[in-house]
């Protein structure tokens, strides 16, 4: 681990100024905010993350959840995953988020992990975490050994010839289905980014995973007003029942009218380079009566552009079954 400067921010402006100052004072300096530390500290110990300045944001007033006057839920970036998952309002109105959070990591990790940190957690691709190997995401232009190597847990959707790493988060999949927005504070002020625009495809710049700029601070996640009558389900398939990342997961939200699916939202995890919203699957479902044949058709639409590798081709069938089962649960 390389040496780094450490400071603590007590208010949002101070954090942003410290982030901007550290970036400009030392050209090319990597500044990182630390929240729960469950991703960042691991990666610093592995020498994958090599910040020259770490800013502790745990004292910022961002650990509250409140309902806005127009009925949205405003979640502070420092709200711990365990607290968010067990909040009665979240369990009642955004059950898919609670289920996704509780499916992630372990109790101890969820007690530390924060909303902002979970959004920005990094891939679990083994080559990314091993500095003795090439990796375009860690060292742009060095190559991607995963494409012809060990790729069992990697992506079949949204891939490029430069990177096939999955976004490993459970929470992000639920936030995608809920159409959350991310509130970001930076040196140019505050902006709100719909989650669908927040995550980038790897393309030829896999090192860039989100629209975050150096020194940007996530302050809140906003959830739209709960959808009247919506039924939802989060299903995670993995190698063991807990403390394991998804091989495939599905977050679905549907409303039913007169026995037909009136609206559908489908987001998938574990199979794509970013939390994956499938409008193709949603279109296949909308206006139709729920049935196994219909859910199969939606899964077919989801996977039409899948590009599997030798080690992860099984994910096509796994993802199909995952989506069919999640839709079966949500419409039962
Ligand atoms: C053994 C293990 C198993 C796990 N299993 C799962 C799993 O099954 N499912 C799952 O979804 N996750 C899993 N995780 C990942 C875990 O959910 C994340 O590590 C956690 O959510 C990250 O949150 P944090 O607050 O600890 O982030 P940190 O480690 O503090 O930060 C992560 C990144 O976000 C940045 N950051 C943090 N907060 C902000 C902010 N407000 N603004 C700007 N930048 C910020 C940091 O600079 C850093 O780059 C697992 C982790 C471990 C170690
Ligand atoms: S898949 Fe992405 S993260 Fe993994 S080795 Fe290739 S470039 Fe690196």
């Amino acid at each position: 681990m390389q040496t780094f400067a450490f400071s603590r921010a007590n208010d949002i402006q101070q954090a942003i100024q410290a982030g901007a100052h550290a970036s400009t004072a030392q050209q090319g300096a990597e500044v990182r905010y630390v929240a729960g530390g469950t991703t960042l500290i691991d990666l610093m110990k592995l020498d994958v993350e090599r910040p020259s300045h770490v800013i502790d944001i745990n004292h910022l007033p961002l650990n509250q959840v409140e309902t806005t006057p127009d009925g949205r839920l405003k979640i502070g970036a420092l709200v711990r995953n365990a607290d968010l998952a067990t909040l009665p309002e979240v369990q009642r109105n955004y059950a898919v988020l609670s289920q996704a959070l509780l499916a992630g990591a372990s109790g101890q990790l969820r007690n530390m992990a924060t909303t902002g940190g979970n959004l920005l957690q990094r891939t679990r691709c083994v080559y990314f975490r091993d500095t003795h190997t090439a990796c375009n995401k860690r060292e742009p232009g060095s190559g991607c050994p995963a494409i012809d190597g060990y790729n069992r847990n990697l992506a079949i959707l949204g891939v490029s010839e430069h990177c096939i790493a999955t976004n490993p988060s459970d929470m992000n999949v639920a936030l995608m289905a809920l159409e959350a927005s991310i509130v970001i504070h930076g040196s140019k002020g505050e902006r709100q980014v719909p989650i669908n625009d927040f995550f980038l495809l790897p393309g030829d710049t896999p090192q860039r995973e989100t629209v975050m700029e150096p020194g940007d601070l996530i302050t809140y996640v906003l959830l739209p007003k709960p959808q009247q009558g919506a039924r939802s389900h989060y299903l995670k398939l993995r190698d063991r029942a807990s403390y394991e990342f998804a091989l495939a997961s599905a977050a679905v939200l549907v409303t039913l009218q007169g026995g037909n699916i009136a609206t559908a939202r489908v987001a998938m995890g574990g199979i794509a380079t970013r939390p994956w919203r499938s409008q193709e699957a949603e279109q296949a479902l909308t206006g139709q009566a729920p049935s196994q044949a219909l859910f199969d058709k939606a899964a077919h639409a989801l996977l039409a552009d899948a590009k599997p590798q030798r080690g992860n081709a099984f994910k096509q069938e796994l993802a199909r079954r995952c989506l069919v089962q999640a839709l079966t649960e949500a419409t039962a």
Side-chain angles (χ1 to χ4, degrees):
M1 190 196 278
Q2 74 165 16
T3 53
F4 56 91
F6 179 82
S7 62
R8 182 165 287 152
N10 292 313
D11 66 56
I12 292 170
Q13 276 317 316
Q14 192 194 359
I16 294 162
Q17 274 161 15
H21 177 73
S23 313
T24 46
Q26 212 186 324
Q27 229 185 3
E30 292 274 348
V31 183
R32 290 284 181 271
Y33 298 113
V34 65
T38 61
T39 284
L40 183 66
I41 305 300
D42 270 8
L43 292 178
M44 285 172 69
K45 286 196 252 179
L46 292 170
D47 235 13
V48 172
E49 287 271 13
R50 308 182 83 232
S52 48
H53 195 138
V54 174
I55 302 168
D56 178 5
I57 56 171
N58 282 285
H59 288 74
L60 301 186
L62 295 174
N63 56 2
Q64 300 294 319
V65 180
E66 53 188 293
T67 305
T68 63
D70 61 357
R72 292 182 294 169
L73 200 69
K74 188 177 177 189
I75 304 164
L78 289 171
V79 175
R80 308 283 156 177
N81 288 179
D83 294 335
L84 188 58
T86 51
L87 207 67
E89 200 167 354
V90 171
Q91 292 185 327
R92 193 171 53 244
N93 295 331
Y94 306 97
V96 72
L97 175 59
S98 173
Q99 290 168 355
L101 284 164
L102 292 174
S106 65
Q108 284 165 317
L109 280 158
R110 292 194 294 269
N111 285 339
M112 287 303 292
T114 62
T115 308
N118 197 327
L119 272 167
L120 296 178
Q121 66 170 286
R122 311 295 305 275
T123 183
R124 309 306 284 199
C125 172
V126 291
Y127 303 101
F128 174 73
R129 294 170 70 86
D130 180 354
T131 55
H132 299 99
T133 65
C135 169
N136 284 329
K137 190 182 276 297
R138 182 169 30 75
E139 218 178 300
S142 63
C144 175
I147 290 175
D148 292 321
Y150 181 74
N151 50 44
R152 183 173 179 274
N153 61 343
L154 301 186
I156 58 173
L157 286 171
V159 299
S160 78
E161 59 183 306
H162 302 285
C163 181
I164 58 168
T166 28
N167 182 301
S169 168
D170 292 293
M171 181 191 83
N172 292 347
V173 185
L175 291 183
M176 190 65 87
L178 288 166
E179 297 187 335
S181 294
I182 317 301
V183 183
I184 302 168
H185 272 75
S187 50
K188 292 185 197 135
E190 181 190 300
R191 65 193 195 276
Q192 257 184 53
V193 182
I195 191 161
N196 209 28
D197 301 333
F198 182 75
F199 293 101
L200 303 174
L201 289 170
D204 55 8
T205 53
Q207 71 278 13
R208 206 145 178 253
E209 295 172 353
T210 69
V211 296
M212 297 281 286
E213 299 288 345
D216 275 354
L217 178 75
I218 295 174
T219 44
Y220 301 98
V221 169
L222 282 169
L223 299 185
K225 219 171 145 172
Q227 228 186 337
Q228 281 294 318
R231 300 149 171 242
S232 67
H233 192 70
Y234 185 74
L235 179 65
K236 176 176 182 179
L237 303 181
R238 48 190 155 171
D239 280 332
R240 56 183 175 196
S242 80
Y243 203 39
E244 187 55 275
F245 291 89
L247 287 169
S249 71
V252 297
L253 258 97
V254 294
T255 56
L256 297 173
Q257 216 169 32
N260 284 350
I261 296 174
T263 62
R265 292 197 211 144
V266 171
M268 302 293 293
I271 59 165
T273 50
R274 43 172 273 168
W276 196 260
R277 177 97 182 251
S278 176
Q279 278 170 348
E280 296 80 6
E282 293 170 5
Q283 275 162 15
L285 294 164
T286 306
Q288 308 297 320
S291 71
Q292 293 294 304
L294 178 71
F295 301 158
D296 256 333
K297 197 173 154 201
H300 188 74
L302 160 76
L303 294 162
D305 291 330
K307 291 193 175 52
Q309 309 295 332
R310 203 169 36 185
N312 66 7
F314 73 98
K315 283 194 177 188
Q316 289 186 108
E317 178 59 13
L318 195 72
R320 185 190 70 76
R321 293 183 190 200
C322 187
L323 179 57
V324 168
Q325 185 59 28
L327 287 166
T328 305
E329 297 278 349
T331 55

